[in-house]
Amino acid sequence: MTRISPEFGGEVEMQTIRSLSADVSFACDQFPKYKLGPDNQVLEEIEENAKGPPLKEVILQETTELTEQHKRLSVRDLASKFDKNLSAAAKLSNEAKLREVASLEGHVLLKKLRDALEFLKGRMVGRNKEDVEKAISIVEALAVKLTQKEGELIQEKFEVKKLLNFLKQASEDAKKLVNQERSFACAEIESARAVVQRIGEALEEQERTCQTSGKQEMEELMEEVQEARRIKLKHQPSKVMDMEYEVRALRIEIREKSSISFNLQKELLMNKRAEENKFLPYEISGSETLGSILRVQPCSNEATELTKCSIQWYRLSSECSRREPILGANKSVYAPEPIDIGRVLQVDITSNGQTVSVTTAGPIDPAAGLENYVETLLRKSNSEFHVVVSQMNGRNYSSHSTHAFHIGKMRMKLCRGWITKARDSYSGSMQLCGFRGGGNSAAKSLYWQPRKGQTFVLVFESERERNGALMLARKYALDSNVMLAGPDDDALV
């Protein structure tokens, strides 16, 4: 029989204690974080990412901001905020459930650890037994802390549930408000459409009334004119004079009523065009007047950038049944010229195979005082304008010196001092029109082709000089039996 010495047994107990102390760090007063898997296998716990603030604090902060800003935010924004906080609260509730599972596993682990220490305590003596008792006290303290944490977790879970119910109710209220506001907006839109339709019907009725009354007054005027002629044949000059005064007054009244009828028709057409362009992603800004600049601008967030679209401007006929393309007008900016007066302009914006057509609200109106200015120029035998050459033969002209542009009854000339750049008589190969290449100075620029292979882009000092030069040159060219216009514009002159 082999005898075992007491010292050997003491070494076994020391090895057991040291292996236990290697797993549990009593110096730091806490146990390592691990879980028990299948077959009591120790699994390391995944450390939580504590970089960001707790989810509960984020929800409280969001709720505070919503409370402070509810007067400035729309109902739709409030509904969106409540939905976000609702999802965050649901996430926090799920996280609380996971914490409950982890707490339950912690209790199981502490109980197993305490049972192991109690088992060792019965086998230890002396200082080793004191260490085991100290470890048991630490485990009991940890159990107390874990119980406290569970109480805090239960309180936190109660608050989260309370917050979740509050956010659910607030989200439902916000959705009700959104639906209510949407119904109010739809009702207002329908009411506005009904008002616009009634105004349109009233304008049409007024237009028909004006036309009918105008015809009746014209017939009465013709009868009175015949009566005046008959009286004049009977040598009654006094009565004839009275009739002439009445006829003159009737003519003035008819002219005024015709002007009112024309303005009503124009206003009705502008309202109709504005209603058509209301739901388009683009709009035309600028005044429909000669000398202004028309620009295509996006008016919707869904509109494609103009740099990624192809653009083409058109002139519509007086009945708007036919349109003619303006050659070279493929930019977002277009400056009307005298040939556009009385016509409606339209622009096509093509992107991704889809074309959107936007029309001006009304026809192009003439510039104030332009006719008197042209009549003054016609009294001269030769008119001179100061211009700057912007392009020559399709290329930018580097020199910004001032040139003299002469428009005579038989020919046109461009020179600088005694150097003549171009001088040609009016002919079929000559072209003259407004510049269609866009830019901020488009309303002051014109395109001139004296002959084939030679072109200029001239910038005048003002819009009136540019439009006056166009009208003057076309008048002189027409006297020479030449139709002076831009490319493909001969049929419009």
Side-chain angles (χ1 to χ4, degrees):
M1 178 179 294
T2 306
R3 183 179 180 182
I4 301 174
S5 62
E7 291 79 8
F8 184 79
E11 292 178 0
V12 174
E13 292 176 357
M14 288 300 296
Q15 291 178 0
T16 306
I17 295 300
R18 289 174 182 174
S19 61
L20 177 63
S21 300
D23 292 336
V24 182
S25 179
F26 296 107
C28 59
D29 199 21
Q30 64 179 358
F31 286 84
K33 297 181 180 179
Y34 57 87
K35 297 180 181 179
L36 293 178
D39 299 331
N40 292 328
Q41 184 179 359
V42 178
L43 300 178
E44 294 184 357
E45 185 178 2
I46 301 176
E47 296 183 358
E48 297 181 356
N49 188 9
K51 293 183 179 179
L55 193 56
K56 180 180 177 182
E57 295 182 3
V58 174
I59 294 175
L60 292 176
Q61 184 178 0
E62 292 283 342
T63 307
T64 305
E65 292 179 358
L66 286 175
T67 305
E68 294 177 353
Q69 300 178 3
H70 74 281
K71 294 183 179 180
R72 296 185 290 113
L73 295 176
S74 64
V75 179
R76 191 181 301 276
D77 294 335
L78 285 174
S80 177
K81 288 286 187 181
F82 280 126
D83 290 338
K84 290 181 180 179
N85 289 334
L86 188 61
S87 62
K91 184 177 179 182
L92 186 59
S93 178
N94 295 331
E95 185 178 348
K97 293 180 180 179
L98 295 177
R99 289 181 180 177
E100 288 181 359
V101 176
S103 177
L104 181 60
E105 292 179 356
H107 274 292
V108 174
L109 181 61
L110 288 176
K111 187 176 183 306
K112 289 184 178 182
L113 183 58
R114 190 178 183 284
D115 294 341
L117 291 175
E118 288 288 345
F119 176 73
L120 290 176
K121 177 181 176 182
R123 298 180 60 187
M124 298 297 166
V125 293
R127 183 166 184 170
N128 293 332
K129 187 175 182 180
E130 293 178 358
D131 292 340
V132 173
E133 290 177 353
K134 184 179 180 181
I136 292 173
S137 63
I138 292 175
V139 170
E140 291 176 351
L142 286 175
V144 173
K145 289 183 180 180
L146 185 59
T147 304
Q148 293 177 355
K149 289 292 182 180
E150 286 179 353
E152 294 177 359
L153 181 61
I154 293 172
Q155 182 65 23
E156 184 178 355
K157 182 180 178 181
F158 174 75
E159 293 177 358
V160 168
K161 288 184 178 179
K162 185 177 178 181
L163 179 61
L164 182 62
N165 295 330
F166 170 74
L167 291 175
K168 284 183 179 179
Q169 184 64 31
S171 179
E172 293 177 358
D173 295 341
K175 289 179 179 178
K176 291 180 181 179
L177 289 175
V178 169
N179 295 330
Q180 185 178 2
E181 292 294 333
R182 185 183 291 111
S183 61
F184 288 162
C186 292
E188 292 179 358
I189 290 172
E190 293 297 332
S191 177
R193 287 179 178 174
V195 171
V196 171
Q197 186 176 0
R198 289 198 299 270
I199 292 174
E201 293 175 355
L203 291 175
E204 292 178 357
E205 183 66 24
Q206 188 174 1
E207 180 184 358
R208 288 194 295 269
T209 304
C210 291
Q211 290 178 356
T212 305
S213 61
K215 290 181 180 179
Q216 293 178 357
E217 291 177 357
M218 184 63 70
E219 293 176 357
E220 294 176 359
L221 180 62
M222 293 297 296
E223 293 177 359
E224 291 180 359
V225 169
Q226 292 177 1
E227 181 68 17
R229 288 177 179 175
R230 188 178 63 81
I231 293 172
K232 188 175 183 180
L233 290 175
K234 291 182 179 181
H235 303 284
Q236 295 180 0
S238 60
K239 191 172 182 180
V240 170
M241 187 175 297
D242 294 338
M243 295 295 293
E244 288 179 353
Y245 286 148
E246 292 179 2
V247 168
R248 190 178 303 164
L250 287 173
R251 287 178 178 174
I252 295 173
E253 186 177 359
I254 290 174
R255 191 180 300 112
E256 292 177 353
K257 290 187 176 181
S258 298
S259 176
I260 294 173
S261 177
F262 176 78
N263 292 333
L264 288 175
Q265 291 178 357
K266 185 177 179 181
E267 185 177 359
L268 182 61
L269 181 61
M270 291 176 65
N271 290 334
K272 183 178 179 181
R273 293 255 168 78
E275 188 69 18
E276 292 176 355
N277 298 336
K278 183 177 180 181
F279 302 99
L280 295 177
Y282 301 94
E283 64 179 359
I284 298 177
S285 63
S287 176
E288 289 86 6
T289 308
L290 187 65
S292 64
I293 295 179
L294 301 178
R295 299 178 184 270
V296 179
Q297 294 180 348
C299 59
S300 174
N301 295 330
E302 300 176 359
T304 308
E305 295 182 4
L306 294 175
T307 56
K308 300 178 181 179
C309 303
S310 59
I311 300 173
Q312 179 60 50
W313 290 82
Y314 296 87
R315 296 187 185 95
L316 301 184
S317 59
S318 56
E319 298 82 14
C320 296
S321 59
R322 182 172 54 90
R323 65 178 189 173
E324 298 116 4
I326 304 174
L327 190 63
N330 52 12
K331 304 294 183 182
S332 61
V333 176
Y334 177 73
E337 58 179 293
I339 203 173
D340 297 323
I341 294 177
R343 293 178 176 270
V344 176
L345 299 181
Q346 190 178 66
V347 58
D348 285 357
I349 303 100
T350 304
S351 174
N352 297 327
Q354 296 182 353
T355 302
V356 178
S357 299
V358 186
T359 310
T360 56
I364 303 301
D365 296 329
L370 183 60
E371 294 182 358
N372 296 332
Y373 177 68
V374 174
E375 290 178 0
T376 303
L377 296 177
L378 288 173
R379 299 190 187 101
K380 303 177 183 178
S381 59
N382 187 5
S383 299
E384 179 180 344
F385 301 90
H386 297 287
V387 299
V388 175
V389 179
S390 176
Q391 294 182 9
M392 185 169 65
N393 297 329
R395 298 181 178 179
N396 294 332
Y397 194 69
S398 58
S399 177
H400 297 283
S401 58
T402 304
H403 292 65
F405 186 54
H406 299 269
I407 300 178
K409 295 183 177 181
M410 301 301 297
R411 63 185 180 182
M412 299 169 64
K413 182 177 69 172
L414 177 66
C415 61
R416 187 183 68 176
W418 55 272
I419 301 174
T420 301
K421 295 290 183 67
R423 180 175 57 186
D424 287 271
S425 301
Y426 300 111
S427 62
S429 62
M430 181 179 292
Q431 294 180 357
L432 186 70
C433 65
F435 180 59
R436 301 166 182 175
N440 296 327
S441 61
K444 301 179 183 180
S445 305
L446 62 79
Y447 170 85
W448 181 39
Q449 177 183 306
R451 63 174 70 92
K452 292 183 178 180
Q454 186 179 20
T455 59
F456 297 91
V457 176
L458 309 178
V459 182
F460 288 74
E461 294 181 350
S462 64
E463 294 83 1
R464 188 180 72 164
E465 290 188 359
R466 175 254 202 180
N467 296 321
L470 283 170
M471 297 177 66
L472 182 66
R474 288 171 179 169
K475 172 64 177 175
Y476 288 154
L478 190 61
D479 294 340
S480 301
N481 296 324
V482 175
M483 307 292 285
L484 188 60
D488 296 338
D489 288 345
D490 296 341
L492 304 175
V493 180

